[in-house]
Amino acid sequence: YAKMYMDTEKKYLSVEIGWAGDSVAQVYKSGVLVYETKPHNATHVRQMMRLAHRGVIDTEEPIKERNFCCKMMTEDTMIYTPGTYVKYHTRHTSMNIYYLTPSSFIGHDDLMGGEPDVETVELMFNENDDIKIVLMSDGITDVIQNTHSVLQNATTSKEIITYAEKKWGDNWKCY
């Protein structure tokens, strides 16, 4: 979610953003990316600390690279890269272990969940500034680079979704 609070006298804007899992939020000021949240992954310190505090991850050997996933490098090229997974303890499997990405925020038995991250971005603004907030899931961020002009210039969410759907249908070069 995103909420904006504006103080027009002081020319001050406060944007409160809440997100979870693979989702990302971006804040643009007059077409320039000024803030971007980070998805919950193995490099997201708060997410890893939440999971450790809940006692569901193996804190001695929490991160494991296994399998391969694709990572977008350019508009038409992806590379195969090891996927980063976290070792979870659970009573729901015969081995009592799951390997999942820490961005799997909702679901997966009793392993995930909790509080979404909430951050506040504070900006100075002029009356001519255009403020835009873009909220995206990994269905968008997997195929559109965070600096792509469609994110900067879109005036509706449908424009971004249509572009992402086109990208998903493209023939990608994978290395």
Side-chain angles (χ1 to χ4, degrees), residues 21-34:
D22 289 344
S23 63
V24 173
Q26 294 181 331
V27 178
Y28 289 88
K29 179 179 172 185
S30 298
V32 176
L33 179 63
V34 295

Side-chain angles (χ1 to χ4, degrees), residues 88-108:
Y88 292 90
H89 297 289
T90 179
R91 64 185 188 284
H92 296 290
T93 65
S94 59
M95 293 177 44
N96 296 324
I97 294 173
Y98 268 131
Y99 285 99
L100 300 169
T101 63
S103 62
S104 302
F105 192 79
I106 300 170
H108 296 289

Side-chain angles (χ1 to χ4, degrees), residues 54-69:
R54 289 185 64 208
V56 297
I57 64 171
D58 184 331
T59 55
E60 291 184 26
E61 184 191 7
I63 298 173
K64 182 168 184 84
E65 289 186 346
R66 58 190 294 205
N67 300 332
F68 281 91
C69 59

Side-chain angles (χ1 to χ4, degrees), residues 124-136:
M124 299 300 290
F125 74 97
N126 296 314
E127 61 187 48
N128 295 332
D129 285 337
D130 176 43
I131 305 297
K132 178 170 63 173
I133 303 166
V134 179
L135 305 172
M136 302 171 280

Side-chain angles (χ1 to χ4, degrees), residues 75-88:
E75 281 297 303
D76 67 347
T77 305
M78 290 194 177
I79 61 166
Y80 290 109
T81 181
T84 304
Y85 294 81
V86 175
K87 186 176 181 181
Y88 292 90

